[in-house]
Amino acid sequence: MRSFYGTTLANPLMLGTAQYPSPAILAEAFRRSGAGVATVSLRRESGADRAGQDFWAMIADLGVPVLPNTAGCHSVKEAVTTAHMAREVFDTPWIKLEVIGHTDTLQPDVFALVEAARVLSEDGFQVFPYTTEDLVVAEKLLHAGCEVLMPWGAPIGSGLGLANEYALRSMRAHFPDVPLVVDAGIGLPSHAARAMELGFDAVLLNTAVAKAGDPAMMAEAFSRAVLAGQAAYAADPIEPRDMAAPSTPVIGKAFLE
Amino acid sequence: MAELRILGAGIAGLCMATELAARGIDFALVDKEPAPGPHACSWWAGGMLAPWCEGESAEEPVVRLGAQSIGWWQQHTGLVQAQGSLVVALGRDLKELDRFARRTENFERLDAAQIDALEPDLAGRFRAALFFPEEAHLSPRAALETLSGNLAAKGIAVQPQAEAATTIDCRGLSARDALADLRGVKGEMLILRCPDVQLSRPVRLLHPRIPLYIVPRGDGVYMLGATMIEAGERSRITARSLLEMLSAAYALHPAFGEAEVLEIGVDARPAFPDNLPRIRRRGDTIYANGLYRHGFLLAPALARMVADMLETGARPEVMDEDYAQR
């Protein structure tokens, strides 16, 4: 089993902590889903004097590994600064590296991402880069020191699912030993299950749960979906077979031809 | 020594004082500031009395208790503008309107012509809207000052200090020294003067990341709000928040681009982990706190519950009696 910098997750669901109706509902979503990782943003909440510390303490109390992120950072320098603060606040070398290139779609700036990944990896961080499905960028991230890749399924918050499944399958095939996480764009548990069926090692999502009418119930649904997809991949599914266009007429023939 | 004192003369304390005074209960009202002002987060409130809209993300008690507040405010201040409220979304975000509709009640769906009839200055800008006819708004500062003035007229002045056998602690976020599970949720807001735009009622512009509301204060003055950031910081607006709020206002109506920025406000709302208010009794102190973003909506209900408890011993719905064991 592929691990994340030596850590094996209890559950391949990585759940974000933003946008919930309340911290109590957030905690309930984690309890009911058994999510294996909690991601948390620091950039906007940090304030002048670490003003977000009450909320961060609640996240730390969830009892799951915390993956702080650099959401809201648009440059290498911002991302590196935020990562350093995250390491201090949560006492972890893990960092989900986001360097946003486009403010509307929140598409990553992959050039700055590779540079920030190099700087942080050299500084001892264990980087989880939020990237596109581009294989060349993926290789450069690995060379920069990343041991995990997190391609998007679709733009952040869009709920569109796996917009380019072919590319995600390519990624799995090209990097058989690298832990891969589909990060962003997930809307439904079926999207998450599909990502796991493709052999991905985890799925990271936030909006689909936090903005659901019943976030805790949706979190549980996602948990079941990723576990089902993970088991399906491990069980080696059958290949689909197209029966719609028989090469010869079947009437009068033996079925097993 | 008085029997009873209220600590804090912000929204929670003034509503508490008004409710107790109306029932003829004696008390001292204590605050280091003699009058309502920018030291209290209610000074920076939107003043929307919009319980059904809040039901989109808030839990049931907020809707039910909030609906009762509209009459309370009219009774005690006469300042309520009963114009309903309007919820709109831009073309790409129209699905947000459907989601909002699924999670709320007590609204009518409006088409473009109906929107134009209700708010002529928005004519041609939106294809669909939700109208909540029973919602209302008021000017929060005028309302706080009216409550304060009414109390003064009854001979109840705010005192810098007073001792009492029983304390009702309404200090909001300042009560963090006693309430470990209380946190601040930062909010940033703007006040604009934009006489080019005439709106009669609060308008909410839905957006997946940057929702905005605009509350008319009369005379072309508007309150724009408000961010929700998980931080206890009570000052320091960021450029990003400013940009996002002004961009959203500009999207609602481009004339807001020419508005004069009158004020920038920043404060933190006091909230418990479930973002619902609490009454908590510990020894001789009753804490009424956690109004979160629902100060004007829920302070009257909280005041009524505490008054009932004092008069009849009735256990308030939002009593937090298990806390002592935690």
Side-chain angles (χ1 to χ4, degrees), chain A residues 19 21-25 44-45 47-49 51-52 54-55 58 72 103-104 106 156 211-213, chain B residues 57 59 92 103 176 182-184 208-209 227 229-233 236 240-241 244 273-275 292:
Chain A
Q19 300 183 303
S22 69
I25 290 174
R44 200 174 192 186
E45 292 74 11
D49 192 25
D54 286 347
F55 186 69
M58 282 184 207
T103 47
D104 188 36
L106 302 180
I156 292 178
K211 292 295 213 182
Chain B
S57 59
E59 294 186 54
R92 196 179 68 170
R103 294 180 190 173
R176 275 212 62 189
L182 196 69
R183 77 186 195 288
R209 291 200 301 277
T227 55
I229 299 171
E230 283 289 351
E233 194 172 56
R236 204 187 68 95
R240 172 179 162 186
S241 297
E244 288 180 351
D274 57 6
N275 292 344
Y292 183 48

mmCIF file of all heavy atoms in Angstrom, chain A residues 19 21-25 44-45 47-49 51-52 54-55 58 72 103-104 106 156 211-213, chain B residues 57 59 92 103 176 182-184 208-209 227 229-233 236 240-241 244 273-275 292:
data_model
loop_
_atom_site.group_PDB
_atom_site.id
_atom_site.type_symbol
_atom_site.label_atom_id
_atom_site.label_comp_id
_atom_site.label_asym_id
_atom_site.label_seq_id
_atom_site.Cartn_x
_atom_site.Cartn_y
_atom_site.Cartn_z
ATOM 1 N N GLN A 19 -15.969 26.551 5.402
ATOM 2 C CA GLN A 19 -17.320 26.777 4.883
ATOM 3 C C GLN A 19 -18.436 25.966 5.536
ATOM 4 O O GLN A 19 -19.544 25.928 5.025
ATOM 5 C CB GLN A 19 -17.382 26.484 3.374
ATOM 6 C CG GLN A 19 -16.468 27.335 2.525
ATOM 7 C CD GLN A 19 -16.635 27.027 1.059
ATOM 8 O OE1 GLN A 19 -16.482 25.888 0.622
ATOM 9 N NE2 GLN A 19 -16.988 28.012 0.284
ATOM 10 N N PRO A 21 -21.419 25.182 8.279
ATOM 11 C CA PRO A 21 -22.313 26.085 9.008
ATOM 12 C C PRO A 21 -21.801 26.421 10.412
ATOM 13 O O PRO A 21 -22.037 27.513 10.906
ATOM 14 C CB PRO A 21 -23.635 25.308 9.093
ATOM 15 C CG PRO A 21 -23.586 24.348 7.950
ATOM 16 C CD PRO A 21 -22.129 23.989 7.783
ATOM 17 N N SER A 22 -21.096 25.485 11.039
ATOM 18 C CA SER A 22 -20.529 25.761 12.364
ATOM 19 C C SER A 22 -19.413 24.762 12.640
ATOM 20 O O SER A 22 -19.380 23.682 12.047
ATOM 21 C CB SER A 22 -21.604 25.631 13.455
ATOM 22 O OG SER A 22 -21.982 24.277 13.596
ATOM 23 N N PRO A 23 -18.512 25.097 13.560
ATOM 24 C CA PRO A 23 -17.476 24.133 13.944
ATOM 25 C C PRO A 23 -18.069 22.837 14.503
ATOM 26 O O PRO A 23 -17.478 21.770 14.348
ATOM 27 C CB PRO A 23 -16.684 24.882 15.013
ATOM 28 C CG PRO A 23 -16.898 26.327 14.701
ATOM 29 C CD PRO A 23 -18.311 26.417 14.190
ATOM 30 N N ALA A 24 -19.229 22.920 15.151
ATOM 31 C CA ALA A 24 -19.845 21.710 15.704
ATOM 32 C C ALA A 24 -20.258 20.761 14.576
ATOM 33 O O ALA A 24 -20.093 19.537 14.685
ATOM 34 C CB ALA A 24 -21.059 22.083 16.552
ATOM 35 N N ILE A 25 -20.790 21.318 13.496
ATOM 36 C CA ILE A 25 -21.195 20.477 12.364
ATOM 37 C C ILE A 25 -19.957 19.922 11.658
ATOM 38 O O ILE A 25 -19.939 18.773 11.212
ATOM 39 C CB ILE A 25 -22.098 21.293 11.415
ATOM 40 C CG1 ILE A 25 -23.449 21.549 12.106
ATOM 41 C CG2 ILE A 25 -22.295 20.575 10.072
ATOM 42 C CD1 ILE A 25 -24.394 22.461 11.351
ATOM 43 N N ARG A 44 -5.804 33.355 5.222
ATOM 44 C CA ARG A 44 -6.707 34.455 5.498
ATOM 45 C C ARG A 44 -7.022 34.560 6.988
ATOM 46 O O ARG A 44 -7.362 35.621 7.490
ATOM 47 C CB ARG A 44 -8.002 34.241 4.709
ATOM 48 C CG ARG A 44 -8.772 35.528 4.552
ATOM 49 C CD ARG A 44 -9.976 35.363 3.666
ATOM 50 N NE ARG A 44 -10.504 36.676 3.326
ATOM 51 C CZ ARG A 44 -11.623 36.865 2.649
ATOM 52 N NH1 ARG A 44 -12.311 35.837 2.211
ATOM 53 N NH2 ARG A 44 -12.037 38.075 2.376
ATOM 54 N N GLU A 45 -6.927 33.435 7.677
ATOM 55 C CA GLU A 45 -7.326 33.392 9.075
ATOM 56 C C GLU A 45 -6.213 33.845 10.016
ATOM 57 O O GLU A 45 -6.463 34.073 11.196
ATOM 58 C CB GLU A 45 -7.750 31.961 9.452
ATOM 59 C CG GLU A 45 -9.035 31.480 8.785
ATOM 60 C CD GLU A 45 -8.847 31.141 7.310
ATOM 61 O OE1 GLU A 45 -7.686 31.071 6.847
ATOM 62 O OE2 GLU A 45 -9.858 30.967 6.607
ATOM 63 N N GLY A 47 -4.441 36.552 10.315
ATOM 64 C CA GLY A 47 -4.567 37.878 10.899
ATOM 65 C C GLY A 47 -3.210 38.463 11.246
ATOM 66 O O GLY A 47 -2.169 38.015 10.755
ATOM 67 N N ALA A 48 -3.234 39.487 12.082
ATOM 68 C CA ALA A 48 -1.991 40.166 12.412
ATOM 69 C C ALA A 48 -1.224 39.371 13.462
ATOM 70 O O ALA A 48 -0.017 39.424 13.539
ATOM 71 C CB ALA A 48 -2.295 41.568 12.921
ATOM 72 N N ASP A 49 -1.951 38.614 14.265
ATOM 73 C CA ASP A 49 -1.294 37.964 15.395
ATOM 74 C C ASP A 49 -1.863 36.559 15.599
ATOM 75 O O ASP A 49 -2.304 36.214 16.686
ATOM 76 C CB ASP A 49 -1.491 38.833 16.653
ATOM 77 C CG ASP A 49 -0.597 38.366 17.791
ATOM 78 O OD1 ASP A 49 0.447 37.758 17.499
ATOM 79 O OD2 ASP A 49 -0.971 38.603 18.958
ATOM 80 N N ALA A 51 -4.609 35.230 14.680
ATOM 81 C CA ALA A 51 -5.930 35.418 15.271
ATOM 82 C C ALA A 51 -6.828 34.194 15.117
ATOM 83 O O ALA A 51 -7.841 34.067 15.777
ATOM 84 C CB ALA A 51 -6.604 36.635 14.633
ATOM 85 N N GLY A 52 -6.445 33.268 14.229
ATOM 86 C CA GLY A 52 -7.286 32.101 13.995
ATOM 87 C C GLY A 52 -7.037 30.954 14.952
ATOM 88 O O GLY A 52 -7.517 29.850 14.736
ATOM 89 N N ASP A 54 -8.085 29.935 17.854
ATOM 90 C CA ASP A 54 -9.199 29.183 18.458
ATOM 91 C C ASP A 54 -9.690 28.117 17.492
ATOM 92 O O ASP A 54 -9.928 26.965 17.867
ATOM 93 C CB ASP A 54 -10.384 30.117 18.771
ATOM 94 C CG ASP A 54 -10.091 30.993 19.977
ATOM 95 O OD1 ASP A 54 -9.111 30.703 20.681
ATOM 96 O OD2 ASP A 54 -10.854 31.951 20.196
ATOM 97 N N PHE A 55 -9.875 28.526 16.240
ATOM 98 C CA PHE A 55 -10.359 27.593 15.230
ATOM 99 C C PHE A 55 -9.324 26.502 14.974
ATOM 100 O O PHE A 55 -9.658 25.323 14.885
ATOM 101 C CB PHE A 55 -10.674 28.348 13.947
ATOM 102 C CG PHE A 55 -11.312 27.500 12.885
ATOM 103 C CD1 PHE A 55 -12.599 27.024 13.056
ATOM 104 C CD2 PHE A 55 -10.622 27.181 11.728
ATOM 105 C CE1 PHE A 55 -13.192 26.233 12.082
ATOM 106 C CE2 PHE A 55 -11.216 26.397 10.751
ATOM 107 C CZ PHE A 55 -12.501 25.924 10.924
ATOM 108 N N MET A 58 -9.440 23.833 17.480
ATOM 109 C CA MET A 58 -10.548 22.895 17.255
ATOM 110 C C MET A 58 -10.163 21.853 16.209
ATOM 111 O O MET A 58 -10.509 20.684 16.333
ATOM 112 C CB MET A 58 -11.768 23.652 16.728
ATOM 113 C CG MET A 58 -12.537 24.407 17.778
ATOM 114 S SD MET A 58 -13.993 25.125 16.975
ATOM 115 C CE MET A 58 -14.271 26.517 18.027
ATOM 116 N N GLY A 72 -5.247 30.364 -1.055
ATOM 117 C CA GLY A 72 -5.268 31.824 -1.086
ATOM 118 C C GLY A 72 -3.915 32.438 -1.407
ATOM 119 O O GLY A 72 -3.799 33.653 -1.506
ATOM 120 N N THR A 103 -7.723 33.699 -10.324
ATOM 121 C CA THR A 103 -8.573 33.938 -9.156
ATOM 122 C C THR A 103 -9.998 33.433 -9.334
ATOM 123 O O THR A 103 -10.684 33.178 -8.361
ATOM 124 C CB THR A 103 -8.642 35.441 -8.815
ATOM 125 O OG1 THR A 103 -8.878 36.157 -10.018
ATOM 126 C CG2 THR A 103 -7.378 35.909 -8.182
ATOM 127 N N ASP A 104 -10.455 33.296 -10.558
ATOM 128 C CA ASP A 104 -11.833 32.849 -10.749
ATOM 129 C C ASP A 104 -11.930 31.332 -10.692
ATOM 130 O O ASP A 104 -12.693 30.767 -9.911
ATOM 131 C CB ASP A 104 -12.371 33.376 -12.075
ATOM 132 C CG ASP A 104 -13.862 33.089 -12.223
ATOM 133 O OD1 ASP A 104 -14.573 33.158 -11.203
ATOM 134 O OD2 ASP A 104 -14.294 32.777 -13.340
ATOM 135 N N LEU A 106 -9.506 29.348 -9.784
ATOM 136 C CA LEU A 106 -8.549 28.860 -8.785
ATOM 137 C C LEU A 106 -7.622 27.787 -9.362
ATOM 138 O O LEU A 106 -7.125 26.917 -8.652
ATOM 139 C CB LEU A 106 -9.268 28.335 -7.530
ATOM 140 C CG LEU A 106 -10.177 29.347 -6.825
ATOM 141 C CD1 LEU A 106 -10.826 28.714 -5.591
ATOM 142 C CD2 LEU A 106 -9.409 30.594 -6.410
ATOM 143 N N ILE A 156 -11.711 23.933 -8.369
ATOM 144 C CA ILE A 156 -12.113 23.969 -6.958
ATOM 145 C C ILE A 156 -13.551 24.457 -6.832
ATOM 146 O O ILE A 156 -13.928 25.468 -7.415
ATOM 147 C CB ILE A 156 -11.173 24.897 -6.161
ATOM 148 C CG1 ILE A 156 -9.772 24.296 -6.065
ATOM 149 C CG2 ILE A 156 -11.722 25.148 -4.757
ATOM 150 C CD1 ILE A 156 -8.759 25.174 -5.344
ATOM 151 N N LYS A 211 -20.946 22.397 2.002
ATOM 152 C CA LYS A 211 -22.093 23.137 1.482
ATOM 153 C C LYS A 211 -23.308 22.242 1.219
ATOM 154 O O LYS A 211 -24.322 22.723 0.703
ATOM 155 C CB LYS A 211 -21.699 23.866 0.197
ATOM 156 C CG LYS A 211 -20.701 24.997 0.428
ATOM 157 C CD LYS A 211 -21.319 26.098 1.266
ATOM 158 C CE LYS A 211 -20.792 27.453 0.879
ATOM 159 N NZ LYS A 211 -21.364 28.511 1.743
ATOM 160 N N ALA A 212 -23.213 20.972 1.560
ATOM 161 C CA ALA A 212 -24.388 20.106 1.432
ATOM 162 C C ALA A 212 -25.422 20.524 2.475
ATOM 163 O O ALA A 212 -25.087 21.135 3.487
ATOM 164 C CB ALA A 212 -23.983 18.650 1.645
ATOM 165 N N GLY A 213 -26.678 20.180 2.230
ATOM 166 C CA GLY A 213 -27.729 20.523 3.191
ATOM 167 C C GLY A 213 -27.482 19.883 4.544
ATOM 168 O O GLY A 213 -27.740 20.473 5.585
ATOM 169 N N SER B 57 -28.330 28.534 6.128
ATOM 170 C CA SER B 57 -27.198 27.852 6.753
ATOM 171 C C SER B 57 -27.362 27.715 8.268
ATOM 172 O O SER B 57 -26.667 26.919 8.879
ATOM 173 C CB SER B 57 -25.894 28.597 6.450
ATOM 174 O OG SER B 57 -25.981 29.927 6.928
ATOM 175 N N GLU B 59 -29.375 26.889 11.949
ATOM 176 C CA GLU B 59 -30.270 25.826 12.381
ATOM 177 C C GLU B 59 -31.639 26.376 12.777
ATOM 178 O O GLU B 59 -31.820 27.576 12.950
ATOM 179 C CB GLU B 59 -29.610 25.043 13.524
ATOM 180 C CG GLU B 59 -28.359 24.310 13.009
ATOM 181 C CD GLU B 59 -27.724 23.402 14.045
ATOM 182 O OE1 GLU B 59 -28.440 22.556 14.594
ATOM 183 O OE2 GLU B 59 -26.528 23.540 14.281
ATOM 184 N N ARG B 92 -24.163 33.195 -14.118
ATOM 185 C CA ARG B 92 -23.437 31.941 -13.943
ATOM 186 C C ARG B 92 -23.782 31.254 -12.622
ATOM 187 O O ARG B 92 -23.583 30.048 -12.460
ATOM 188 C CB ARG B 92 -21.931 32.233 -14.005
ATOM 189 C CG ARG B 92 -21.090 31.003 -14.230
ATOM 190 C CD ARG B 92 -19.631 31.337 -14.300
ATOM 191 N NE ARG B 92 -19.093 31.784 -13.013
ATOM 192 C CZ ARG B 92 -17.794 31.956 -12.784
ATOM 193 N NH1 ARG B 92 -16.924 31.747 -13.736
ATOM 194 N NH2 ARG B 92 -17.379 32.354 -11.608
ATOM 195 N N ARG B 103 -33.401 25.318 0.543
ATOM 196 C CA ARG B 103 -33.057 25.270 1.963
ATOM 197 C C ARG B 103 -33.731 26.355 2.797
ATOM 198 O O ARG B 103 -33.398 26.538 3.960
ATOM 199 C CB ARG B 103 -31.536 25.374 2.107
ATOM 200 C CG ARG B 103 -30.882 24.153 1.515
ATOM 201 C CD ARG B 103 -29.404 24.193 1.617
ATOM 202 N NE ARG B 103 -28.823 23.116 0.827
ATOM 203 C CZ ARG B 103 -27.537 22.965 0.609
ATOM 204 N NH1 ARG B 103 -26.698 23.829 1.123
ATOM 205 N NH2 ARG B 103 -27.098 21.967 -0.115
ATOM 206 N N ARG B 176 -14.935 36.010 27.087
ATOM 207 C CA ARG B 176 -14.041 34.870 26.834
ATOM 208 C C ARG B 176 -13.237 34.492 28.069
ATOM 209 O O ARG B 176 -12.829 33.349 28.223
ATOM 210 C CB ARG B 176 -13.051 35.221 25.714
ATOM 211 C CG ARG B 176 -13.568 34.999 24.333
ATOM 212 C CD ARG B 176 -12.445 34.605 23.418
ATOM 213 N NE ARG B 176 -11.855 33.347 23.856
ATOM 214 C CZ ARG B 176 -10.756 32.837 23.365
ATOM 215 N NH1 ARG B 176 -10.095 33.479 22.430
ATOM 216 N NH2 ARG B 176 -10.280 31.689 23.792
ATOM 217 N N LEU B 182 -16.077 30.011 23.897
ATOM 218 C CA LEU B 182 -16.523 31.143 23.072
ATOM 219 C C LEU B 182 -15.362 31.560 22.168
ATOM 220 O O LEU B 182 -14.222 31.636 22.603
ATOM 221 C CB LEU B 182 -16.920 32.302 23.988
ATOM 222 C CG LEU B 182 -17.758 33.420 23.379
ATOM 223 C CD1 LEU B 182 -19.167 32.926 23.042
ATOM 224 C CD2 LEU B 182 -17.823 34.619 24.335
ATOM 225 N N ARG B 183 -15.665 31.799 20.879
ATOM 226 C CA ARG B 183 -14.607 32.236 19.967
ATOM 227 C C ARG B 183 -15.104 33.442 19.170
ATOM 228 O O ARG B 183 -16.296 33.717 19.115
ATOM 229 C CB ARG B 183 -14.216 31.109 19.006
ATOM 230 C CG ARG B 183 -15.224 30.900 17.881
ATOM 231 C CD ARG B 183 -14.905 29.684 17.033
ATOM 232 N NE ARG B 183 -15.654 29.690 15.775
ATOM 233 C CZ ARG B 183 -16.965 29.461 15.661
ATOM 234 N NH1 ARG B 183 -17.706 29.224 16.734
ATOM 235 N NH2 ARG B 183 -17.546 29.475 14.472
ATOM 236 N N GLY B 184 -14.179 34.143 18.543
ATOM 237 C CA GLY B 184 -14.544 35.274 17.701
ATOM 238 C C GLY B 184 -14.576 34.864 16.239
ATOM 239 O O GLY B 184 -13.738 34.088 15.798
ATOM 240 N N PRO B 208 -20.808 31.472 -4.840
ATOM 241 C CA PRO B 208 -20.295 30.323 -4.089
ATOM 242 C C PRO B 208 -19.193 30.688 -3.093
ATOM 243 O O PRO B 208 -19.045 30.025 -2.066
ATOM 244 C CB PRO B 208 -19.770 29.374 -5.178
ATOM 245 C CG PRO B 208 -19.818 30.117 -6.453
ATOM 246 C CD PRO B 208 -20.754 31.276 -6.290
ATOM 247 N N ARG B 209 -18.415 31.710 -3.379
ATOM 248 C CA ARG B 209 -17.334 32.045 -2.442
ATOM 249 C C ARG B 209 -17.492 33.408 -1.783
ATOM 250 O O ARG B 209 -17.014 33.604 -0.671
ATOM 251 C CB ARG B 209 -15.978 32.015 -3.166
ATOM 252 C CG ARG B 209 -15.534 30.647 -3.589
ATOM 253 C CD ARG B 209 -14.039 30.615 -3.846
ATOM 254 N NE ARG B 209 -13.616 31.560 -4.870
ATOM 255 C CZ ARG B 209 -13.672 31.323 -6.180
ATOM 256 N NH1 ARG B 209 -14.126 30.178 -6.616
ATOM 257 N NH2 ARG B 209 -13.270 32.218 -7.043
ATOM 258 N N THR B 227 -17.840 39.886 5.765
ATOM 259 C CA THR B 227 -17.013 38.680 5.676
ATOM 260 C C THR B 227 -17.217 37.815 6.916
ATOM 261 O O THR B 227 -17.705 38.282 7.946
ATOM 262 C CB THR B 227 -15.526 39.043 5.557
ATOM 263 O OG1 THR B 227 -15.175 39.886 6.653
ATOM 264 C CG2 THR B 227 -15.248 39.777 4.257
ATOM 265 N N ILE B 229 -14.752 35.259 8.865
ATOM 266 C CA ILE B 229 -13.415 34.671 8.914
ATOM 267 C C ILE B 229 -13.182 34.080 10.294
ATOM 268 O O ILE B 229 -13.455 34.733 11.311
ATOM 269 C CB ILE B 229 -12.350 35.739 8.570
ATOM 270 C CG1 ILE B 229 -12.592 36.258 7.141
ATOM 271 C CG2 ILE B 229 -10.941 35.178 8.720
ATOM 272 C CD1 ILE B 229 -11.769 37.450 6.758
ATOM 273 N N GLU B 230 -12.698 32.839 10.330
ATOM 274 C CA GLU B 230 -12.494 32.150 11.609
ATOM 275 C C GLU B 230 -11.267 32.720 12.312
ATOM 276 O O GLU B 230 -10.188 32.131 12.304
ATOM 277 C CB GLU B 230 -12.357 30.646 11.398
ATOM 278 C CG GLU B 230 -13.682 29.947 11.133
ATOM 279 C CD GLU B 230 -14.582 29.876 12.363
ATOM 280 O OE1 GLU B 230 -14.133 30.222 13.473
ATOM 281 O OE2 GLU B 230 -15.763 29.473 12.209
ATOM 282 N N ALA B 231 -11.436 33.884 12.898
ATOM 283 C CA ALA B 231 -10.351 34.531 13.619
ATOM 284 C C ALA B 231 -10.962 35.504 14.612
ATOM 285 O O ALA B 231 -11.996 36.103 14.341
ATOM 286 C CB ALA B 231 -9.436 35.274 12.655
ATOM 287 N N GLY B 232 -10.308 35.658 15.763
ATOM 288 C CA GLY B 232 -10.850 36.521 16.799
ATOM 289 C C GLY B 232 -10.422 37.975 16.682
ATOM 290 O O GLY B 232 -10.737 38.793 17.547
ATOM 291 N N GLU B 233 -9.728 38.278 15.618
ATOM 292 C CA GLU B 233 -9.203 39.638 15.420
ATOM 293 C C GLU B 233 -10.342 40.655 15.301
ATOM 294 O O GLU B 233 -11.304 40.426 14.582
ATOM 295 C CB GLU B 233 -8.382 39.606 14.133
ATOM 296 C CG GLU B 233 -7.506 40.776 13.899
ATOM 297 C CD GLU B 233 -6.607 40.520 12.685
ATOM 298 O OE1 GLU B 233 -7.122 40.236 11.593
ATOM 299 O OE2 GLU B 233 -5.395 40.621 12.836
ATOM 300 N N ARG B 236 -8.465 45.658 11.459
ATOM 301 C CA ARG B 236 -7.609 45.346 10.323
ATOM 302 C C ARG B 236 -8.404 44.712 9.183
ATOM 303 O O ARG B 236 -8.493 43.510 9.058
ATOM 304 C CB ARG B 236 -6.492 44.387 10.763
ATOM 305 C CG ARG B 236 -5.252 44.403 9.913
ATOM 306 C CD ARG B 236 -4.303 43.306 10.356
ATOM 307 N NE ARG B 236 -4.845 41.996 10.072
ATOM 308 C CZ ARG B 236 -4.567 41.291 8.973
ATOM 309 N NH1 ARG B 236 -3.735 41.741 8.087
ATOM 310 N NH2 ARG B 236 -5.121 40.108 8.778
ATOM 311 N N ARG B 240 -7.977 42.293 0.292
ATOM 312 C CA ARG B 240 -8.750 41.270 -0.407
ATOM 313 C C ARG B 240 -10.236 41.355 -0.046
ATOM 314 O O ARG B 240 -11.100 41.291 -0.920
ATOM 315 C CB ARG B 240 -8.190 39.897 -0.056
ATOM 316 C CG ARG B 240 -9.050 38.771 -0.572
ATOM 317 C CD ARG B 240 -8.444 37.441 -0.226
ATOM 318 N NE ARG B 240 -9.444 36.377 -0.341
ATOM 319 C CZ ARG B 240 -9.221 35.124 0.016
ATOM 320 N NH1 ARG B 240 -8.052 34.783 0.497
ATOM 321 N NH2 ARG B 240 -10.161 34.222 -0.101
ATOM 322 N N SER B 241 -10.520 41.499 1.249
ATOM 323 C CA SER B 241 -11.923 41.581 1.667
ATOM 324 C C SER B 241 -12.593 42.806 1.059
ATOM 325 O O SER B 241 -13.731 42.760 0.590
ATOM 326 C CB SER B 241 -12.019 41.643 3.189
ATOM 327 O OG SER B 241 -11.510 40.454 3.754
ATOM 328 N N GLU B 244 -13.190 42.188 -2.616
ATOM 329 C CA GLU B 244 -14.274 41.236 -2.871
ATOM 330 C C GLU B 244 -15.637 41.873 -2.622
ATOM 331 O O GLU B 244 -16.573 41.705 -3.410
ATOM 332 C CB GLU B 244 -14.093 39.987 -2.001
ATOM 333 C CG GLU B 244 -12.933 39.124 -2.469
ATOM 334 C CD GLU B 244 -12.728 37.872 -1.625
ATOM 335 O OE1 GLU B 244 -13.383 37.739 -0.567
ATOM 336 O OE2 GLU B 244 -11.908 37.039 -2.024
ATOM 337 N N PRO B 273 -19.335 26.813 19.640
ATOM 338 C CA PRO B 273 -18.968 25.924 18.529
ATOM 339 C C PRO B 273 -20.111 25.595 17.559
ATOM 340 O O PRO B 273 -19.855 25.321 16.393
ATOM 341 C CB PRO B 273 -18.476 24.657 19.241
ATOM 342 C CG PRO B 273 -17.921 25.166 20.534
ATOM 343 C CD PRO B 273 -18.834 26.292 20.933
ATOM 344 N N ASP B 274 -21.362 25.604 18.018
ATOM 345 C CA ASP B 274 -22.450 25.313 17.079
ATOM 346 C C ASP B 274 -23.071 26.598 16.508
ATOM 347 O O ASP B 274 -24.088 26.539 15.807
ATOM 348 C CB ASP B 274 -23.521 24.435 17.737
ATOM 349 C CG ASP B 274 -24.096 25.069 18.988
ATOM 350 O OD1 ASP B 274 -23.746 26.233 19.290
ATOM 351 O OD2 ASP B 274 -24.897 24.401 19.674
ATOM 352 N N ASN B 275 -22.454 27.719 16.795
ATOM 353 C CA ASN B 275 -22.932 29.022 16.307
ATOM 354 C C ASN B 275 -24.358 29.339 16.765
ATOM 355 O O ASN B 275 -25.053 30.123 16.121
ATOM 356 C CB ASN B 275 -22.819 29.115 14.782
ATOM 357 C CG ASN B 275 -21.373 29.152 14.307
ATOM 358 O OD1 ASN B 275 -20.468 29.397 15.104
ATOM 359 N ND2 ASN B 275 -21.152 28.925 13.026
ATOM 360 N N TYR B 292 -23.381 35.334 17.749
ATOM 361 C CA TYR B 292 -22.774 35.102 16.431
ATOM 362 C C TYR B 292 -23.195 36.207 15.469
ATOM 363 O O TYR B 292 -23.149 37.380 15.845
ATOM 364 C CB TYR B 292 -23.202 33.698 15.984
ATOM 365 C CG TYR B 292 -22.644 33.204 14.664
ATOM 366 C CD1 TYR B 292 -21.290 33.301 14.352
ATOM 367 C CD2 TYR B 292 -23.471 32.598 13.726
ATOM 368 C CE1 TYR B 292 -20.798 32.817 13.150
ATOM 369 C CE2 TYR B 292 -22.987 32.106 12.520
ATOM 370 C CZ TYR B 292 -21.652 32.230 12.242
ATOM 371 O OH TYR B 292 -21.183 31.756 11.045
#
